[in-house]
Amino acid sequence: MYAGTEKEFKIISKYSTFGHRITALAISNNGKYVAIGFNESGGVQLVSANDIKNTLWHIKGSLTEMINVSLIKFSGNDENMIVKDANRQLFVLSCTGDMIFKNGRSNGDITGCAIFPSGKKILACYDETFKLWQCCDVSQPVTVRAHNDIIAHFDISNDENMLATLSFDKAVKLWDCVTGSQFACLEHTSSINTCKFSGNCQFLATCCIDGSVKMWNVRSGRLQYQFRGHATQALNCYFLQDDSILLTIGDSLAWWQIEDEELIQRFPLYGNAAMAYYTDDLKLLATADDK
């Protein structure tokens, strides 16, 4: 494991496996824990980020029918984590090492999954269908056929009340996370790469192949703002500074004053970037493009 600052980067801990290959890795949002997933029946292990040799707990796959862990994600509050394995199973583990959810093998491939910020509900996408579970009740999922094609991307609002899904039909659909009912359909003229709710849950930004980023009022379903700053497709975006600024990503990094739809700054890239990582004070930002 490595850590450092912009001036120094060094090894702070080194971890050796116990005979299994590492197939998934996740760091908690507070930076205190590292969850490690293994191949075969190695299961999941939680270690301290400050001392990776300090194992807090280890749930072995042989005891839980967990085989070849492929994904681990922490909830927003770091209390629980979602785990996906090669047998198309989903698990929710608490950070104290308890298993609080297991859905068993599914009939279709899990094309996407997430744990809600509170850690009390999970989402799984199976091609064009999504399912929502309360972690305390595996038997009663809300099941919705959302699109006529595979769900390519989704986002969950911070208040956990809304879900946005998109496919290849140039539309984003908004859903009630309690009932599974659709309450809006946002039609586009071009295909959409990603979507993201604002922190205050009032807006949804959609990043389009034509290079534009559109911002929608989620309650009225109306287009509120539009940003055109990329020569190629817009791949992702982030809401910053209490939802007053939007960072859009594609062939460049572009910062926008949302209310005025005004471009603040643009930083060109050598290729197309889809992700960015920044510090809380916004003084440092890291990204990688396809070049």
Side-chain angles (χ1 to χ4, degrees):
M1 182 177 176
Y2 301 82
T5 67
E6 68 273 17
K7 295 181 179 179
E8 182 182 14
F9 195 78
K10 62 182 180 180
I11 298 175
I12 62 171
S13 189
K14 184 177 180 180
Y15 177 85
S16 297
T17 64
F18 53 95
H20 289 282
R21 180 167 52 89
I22 295 174
T23 54
L25 192 72
I27 300 175
S28 63
N29 299 287
N30 60 18
K32 293 182 178 180
Y33 308 110
V34 178
I36 306 168
F38 299 97
N39 71 331
E40 299 176 343
S41 59
V44 174
Q45 193 172 41
L46 190 73
V47 300
S48 169
N50 292 325
D51 181 9
I52 205 166
K53 295 180 181 179
N54 178 18
T55 299
L56 303 176
W57 51 256
H58 183 190
I59 296 178
K60 294 184 178 180
S62 57
L63 302 177
T64 60
E65 299 181 342
M66 184 188 299
I67 301 295
N68 294 326
V69 173
S70 59
L71 179 142
I72 305 173
K73 291 181 181 178
F74 281 90
S75 61
N77 60 10
D78 290 326
E79 291 183 2
N80 298 326
M81 68 188 76
I82 187 171
V83 178
K84 183 176 78 168
D85 77 351
N87 278 344
R88 304 192 296 272
Q89 298 180 111
L90 291 175
F91 306 81
V92 174
L93 310 177
S94 74
C95 282
T96 57
D98 297 318
M99 180 177 294
I100 58 178
F101 177 93
K102 177 184 176 183
N103 77 327
R105 298 185 184 185
S106 61
N107 294 326
D109 290 333
I110 301 171
T111 53
C113 63
I115 187 166
F116 280 51
S118 67
K120 296 180 180 179
K121 185 181 289 188
I122 65 170
L123 164 76
C125 297
Y126 302 85
D127 295 328
E128 70 278 1
T129 300
F130 69 79
K131 292 185 178 183
L132 292 165
W133 287 272
Q134 295 285 345
C135 289
C136 60
D137 187 2
V138 67
S139 64
Q140 298 293 329
V142 174
T143 303
V144 177
R145 181 182 172 90
H147 298 268
N148 292 325
D149 207 335
I150 187 172
I151 297 173
H153 186 80
F154 62 83
D155 194 40
I156 300 165
S157 62
N158 284 343
D159 61 8
E160 305 190 357
N161 292 326
M162 297 176 290
L163 168 69
T165 63
L166 65 88
S167 186
F168 304 110
D169 52 6
K170 301 180 181 178
V172 177
K173 296 182 179 180
L174 301 179
W175 310 87
D176 185 299
C177 285
V178 176
T179 64
S181 59
Q182 179 184 325
F183 64 87
C185 182
L186 312 178
E187 300 285 352
H188 293 63
T189 56
S190 68
S191 297
I192 312 141
N193 286 315
T194 55
C195 61
K196 189 156 295 183
F197 282 103
S198 60
N200 60 17
C201 308
Q202 294 181 9
F203 299 103
L204 181 80
T206 55
C207 303
C208 304
I209 286 181
D210 66 3
S212 69
V213 177
K214 296 174 171 59
M215 192 176 297
W216 307 79
N217 186 303
V218 296
R219 293 305 176 190
S220 67
R222 293 180 179 178
L223 181 62
Q224 193 91 15
Y225 305 105
Q226 189 164 198
F227 309 93
R228 295 186 176 274
H230 299 281
T232 59
Q233 53 186 319
L235 295 172
N236 210 339
C237 66
Y238 299 87
F239 287 89
L240 306 175
Q241 294 187 358
D242 296 325
D243 300 328
S244 64
I245 292 175
L246 186 71
L247 167 62
T248 63
I249 303 174
D251 57 346
S252 62
L253 302 175
W255 287 263
W256 304 86
Q257 190 74 42
I258 292 177
E259 189 171 345
D260 301 326
E261 296 178 274
E262 179 183 352
L263 179 64
I264 301 172
Q265 182 181 0
R266 183 198 310 278
F267 184 83
L269 300 173
Y270 291 104
N272 290 314
M275 299 294 290
Y277 301 91
Y278 46 85
T279 55
D280 292 339
D281 58 11
L282 302 181
K283 290 183 179 180
L284 295 176
L285 182 145
T287 187
D289 59 40
D290 56 7
K291 297 298 184 181

